Amino acid sequence: RKIKSEQLDSYQNILDLIKVFGDDIKTMGGKPSAKQKDNFTLFLARNTNGNSVMKHMVFELKKRLG
C-alpha cells in the first residue's frame, strides 16, 4: 500500500514483482501461469540502474519463471 500511495513511476518494477508473488500465492506455488511469466519479464525489463532491487532473488526467480 505504501508503494501505491507514492510515485508509481519509481516503483513499476516492484509492482510487477508484487503481481508475480500474488499469482504465486493464488496457485499455491504450482506451475507458473503465462500472466505470471509476463509480469516477471516486465520486472526484469524495468529492474535496471537506479531502480534495481532484489538482485539476490533474480537468479532463483529466473529458474522458476524463466
Side-chain angles (χ1 to χ4, degrees), residues 40-53:
F40 182 65
T41 302
L42 283 172
F43 166 74
L44 290 176
R46 293 177 178 162
N47 196 41
T48 57
N49 301 331
N51 293 335
S52 183
V53 294

Side-chain angles (χ1 to χ4, degrees), residues 2-12 15:
K2 177 77 172 161
I3 291 171
K4 289 183 179 182
S5 69
E6 295 192 13
Q7 293 178 344
L8 293 179
D9 296 339
S10 301
Y11 300 107
Q12 286 298 325
L15 294 175

Side-chain angles (χ1 to χ4, degrees), residues 9-64:
D9 296 339
S10 301
Y11 300 107
Q12 286 298 325
N13 55 339
I14 299 298
L15 294 175
D16 294 328
L17 194 59
I18 288 170
K19 291 175 187 176
V20 169
F21 290 145
D23 288 344
D24 201 39
I25 290 170
K26 288 177 188 174
T27 60
M28 303 244 182
K31 184 177 177 184
S33 67
K35 181 179 174 184
Q36 197 173 10
K37 290 180 182 181
D38 290 344
N39 285 326
F40 182 65
T41 302
L42 283 172
F43 166 74
L44 290 176
R46 293 177 178 162
N47 196 41
T48 57
N49 301 331
N51 293 335
S52 183
V53 294
M54 303 186 86
K55 294 177 185 177
H56 60 284
M57 288 187 65
V58 171
F59 178 73
E60 292 296 322
L61 289 169
K62 279 183 180 180
K63 282 192 334 189
R64 173 152 169 59

